[in-house]
Amino acid sequence: FFLFNTGFDSDNSSGEFSEANHKVAEMLDLDPHQSNRTGKHNGETEIQENGIKRHRTSLPAPMFSRSDFSVWSILKKCIGLELSKITMPIVFNEPLSFLQRITEYMEHIYLINKACSHADPLERMQAVAAFAVSAVASQWERTGKPFNPLLGETYELTREDLGFRFISEQVSHHPPISAFYSEGLNKDFIFHGSIYPKLKFWGKSIEAEPRGTITLELLKHNEAYTWTNPTCCVHNVIIGKLWLEQYGTVEIVNHSTGDKCVLNFKPCGLFGKELHRVEGYIQDKNRKKLCVIYGKWTECLWCTDPTTYETYKKNEKRGGEQKKLKPSEDVIKSENDEADDMPEVQDTVQFIPGSKLLWRINCRPPNSSQMYNFTSFAVSLNELEKGMEAILAPTDCRLRPDIRNMENGNMDVASKEKERLEEKQRAARKERAKDEVEWHTRWFHQGTNPYTGTSDWLYSGGYFDRNFSDCPDIY
């Protein structure tokens, strides 16, 4: 539930657990008037000599410790309740909306640009596969829960330096559905989709199975690719160190050529040997394997031809028993046998000679651990630049007072604002029900994905004309 828009803090919530929010600031010993513990607030974006905007490199205030708080202390009161009816204290959040979290798909947009530039369809599929893996890479060590978007909430991002613009909207609250649309500023690609995860609580872990189709269109090549993200699981919600893994099969289909990429995100296994590993292959429409892909979604991705891969694997088997795991690769045993602690695997991807590097994760800023383990790209997402308020939609995430106050370190104010917004959303829903008025989305509409034939949320257009007169008042 930390990584997806879950429906927690719903407008159906009874507010039973909201009193926990009021205790957070006192337990953290935070000064409610302290808006910036790191000095200068980097709200104004600098312009470099080359004319490119310089985005901020740190948050206004460092994150607080969650060591005094237990997720289980909340969940144990909720046995038998729907997860969507639980209001979580703000201490478990990170200062981003889930709509901003979706935007992190664009961090490695250079892979889309690379796909656009390739004349060979196999190389295009390799780049698209790398992009699909990179889209989940920012979740590594991110155990904070993004804020659930309010119904009608939006987020826009235009990055001229990276060559794209992006718009998303929370189109449904029950079930929670987030729709997004992005396009290249050079009219070379369109990237769009909708996400509505299905949650399962297994006692020690919470599993989020993502639903909804992700579509990438390469306009120059008249190609469309579709896929669905792997399942994400957060472990140790009761006791121990929180850790996450991605697992499941991701199939990327090129609807123009019939080529398909099948990627297997492997579960970590008993001794953590497979933790973070991804293996798969690309096949043509006749099911002939064209190349093999391997690596880790937290590190890098390589590809090689099937013959080289099979030869390497055979030689590896002939070498006798696998070498024993290093001490650092073993499972850390807790004093409590039920802790199910995280497997600490320190080895890197075993390189197969002759392989081609498809993608490598960006290095995180040195102060990332004090900033919710954000990447440099994520740090910039909630930045409110000078003059931006005048052009943003009034529903944009950057204008949410609870997220803004949390980012600035004002935890007590953030907690009260979060509760106020949830109550306002509940009241608005009751008012619509009383008047028998249906909610109408503003920038997206429900339709059919033209490539898969499945239900999807499609961009209606017009957002960047900036006519925001009929936007709802949600803050």
Side-chain angles (χ1 to χ4, degrees), residues 122-142:
L122 175 58
E123 290 186 303
R124 290 198 295 273
M125 177 62 92
Q126 290 171 349
V128 172
F131 176 74
V133 173
S134 75
V136 302
S138 66
Q139 296 181 7
W140 179 40
E141 295 186 330
R142 294 275 289 280

Side-chain angles (χ1 to χ4, degrees), residues 397-461:
C397 303
R398 295 178 187 85
L399 306 178
R400 275 189 65 161
D402 51 355
I403 297 179
R404 182 61 58 193
N405 276 282
M406 183 182 185
E407 178 182 277
N408 288 333
N410 299 329
M411 291 301 299
D412 57 341
V413 178
S415 181
K416 292 174 183 176
E417 284 294 320
K418 177 173 176 285
E419 187 173 346
R420 181 185 67 81
L421 294 177
E422 290 163 5
E423 181 55 41
K424 182 173 183 175
Q425 182 170 234
R426 284 191 286 270
R429 180 173 180 175
K430 290 177 181 177
E431 191 68 24
R432 289 195 303 273
K434 185 179 73 173
D435 297 338
E436 297 183 347
V437 175
E438 290 188 12
W439 176 267
H440 294 288
T441 54
R442 181 64 181 84
W443 309 110
F444 291 81
H445 65 275
Q446 198 162 16
T448 301
N449 187 293
Y451 306 105
T452 64
T454 56
S455 178
D456 203 354
W457 285 87
L458 307 175
Y459 180 53
S460 302

Side-chain angles (χ1 to χ4, degrees), residues 151-154 167 169-171 393 395 439-445 457-472:
L151 184 60
E153 186 173 315
T154 61
I167 172 64
E169 178 182 4
Q170 190 68 6
V171 295
T395 51
W439 176 267
H440 294 288
T441 54
R442 181 64 181 84
W443 309 110
F444 291 81
H445 65 275
W457 285 87
L458 307 175
Y459 180 53
S460 302
Y463 176 89
F464 293 99
D465 294 338
R466 304 206 173 277
N467 178 12
F468 301 138
S469 59
D470 57 348
C471 287

Side-chain angles (χ1 to χ4, degrees), residues 37-288:
R37 287 178 287 176
T38 57
K40 181 181 177 181
H41 176 38
N42 191 15
E44 298 186 15
T45 302
E46 300 178 37
I47 304 295
Q48 300 179 96
E49 291 183 2
N50 58 9
I52 296 176
K53 293 180 180 179
R54 186 197 305 271
H55 293 272
R56 69 183 184 183
T57 57
S58 64
L59 298 178
M63 72 172 287
F64 46 83
S65 172
R66 299 190 184 102
S67 58
D68 295 331
F69 298 88
S70 166
V71 180
W72 179 240
S73 67
I74 304 297
L75 292 182
K76 69 182 180 182
K77 302 176 185 179
C78 309
I79 295 174
L81 298 179
E82 294 181 27
L83 288 182
S84 62
K85 301 282 182 74
I86 305 171
T87 299
M88 297 293 290
I90 200 171
V91 69
F92 297 113
N93 284 68
E94 63 177 25
L96 286 179
S97 167
F98 183 72
L99 297 181
Q100 293 167 309
R101 192 73 178 265
I102 294 175
T103 313
E104 294 184 54
Y105 285 175
M106 308 305 293
E107 179 166 359
H108 299 270
I109 188 180
Y110 74 89
L111 293 167
I112 294 182
N113 299 332
K114 185 177 290 187
C116 292
S117 68
H118 285 310
D120 182 1
L122 175 58
E123 290 186 303
R124 290 198 295 273
M125 177 62 92
Q126 290 171 349
V128 172
F131 176 74
V133 173
S134 75
V136 302
S138 66
Q139 296 181 7
W140 179 40
E141 295 186 330
R142 294 275 289 280
T143 53
K145 174 186 175 298
F147 282 72
N148 291 335
L150 302 167
L151 184 60
E153 186 173 315
T154 61
Y155 181 70
E156 69 162 282
L157 182 66
T158 299
R159 289 289 298 263
E160 295 182 3
D161 55 329
L162 299 178
F164 75 89
R165 61 185 185 182
F166 184 102
I167 172 64
S168 57
E169 178 182 4
Q170 190 68 6
V171 295
S172 174
H173 193 64
H174 288 294
I177 303 176
S178 307
F180 66 91
Y181 171 89
S182 181
E183 62 185 16
L185 298 180
N186 294 324
K187 308 298 181 184
D188 47 356
F189 75 87
I190 294 174
F191 178 56
H192 57 95
S194 54
I195 298 178
Y196 42 103
K198 181 179 180 181
L199 291 183
K200 296 178 182 178
F201 179 35
W202 298 108
K204 293 183 179 180
S205 62
I206 292 182
E207 183 181 80
E209 177 190 343
R211 303 207 173 171
T213 304
I214 296 175
T215 304
L216 174 63
E217 301 178 39
L218 303 183
L219 303 181
K220 174 183 174 182
H221 302 285
N222 195 29
E223 286 183 340
Y225 302 79
T226 60
W227 68 91
T228 300
N229 281 333
T231 295
C232 182
C233 187
V234 180
H235 295 272
N236 291 351
V237 296
I238 297 177
I239 189 172
K241 181 180 178 181
L242 288 171
W243 65 280
L244 63 94
E245 63 174 329
Q246 311 266 2
Y247 48 76
T249 301
V250 173
E251 288 192 358
I252 306 170
V253 179
N254 183 332
H255 293 270
S256 302
T257 64
D259 293 349
K260 181 187 292 187
C261 178
V262 180
L263 296 173
N264 181 21
F265 286 71
K266 296 189 173 185
C268 73
L270 183 60
F271 296 105
K273 292 171 62 177
E274 304 294 335
L275 184 63
H276 303 153
R277 293 192 181 279
V278 181
E279 286 186 4
Y281 55 88
I282 296 174
Q283 65 181 31
D284 63 17
K285 61 182 179 180
N286 299 316
R287 297 188 176 182
K288 177 185 176 182

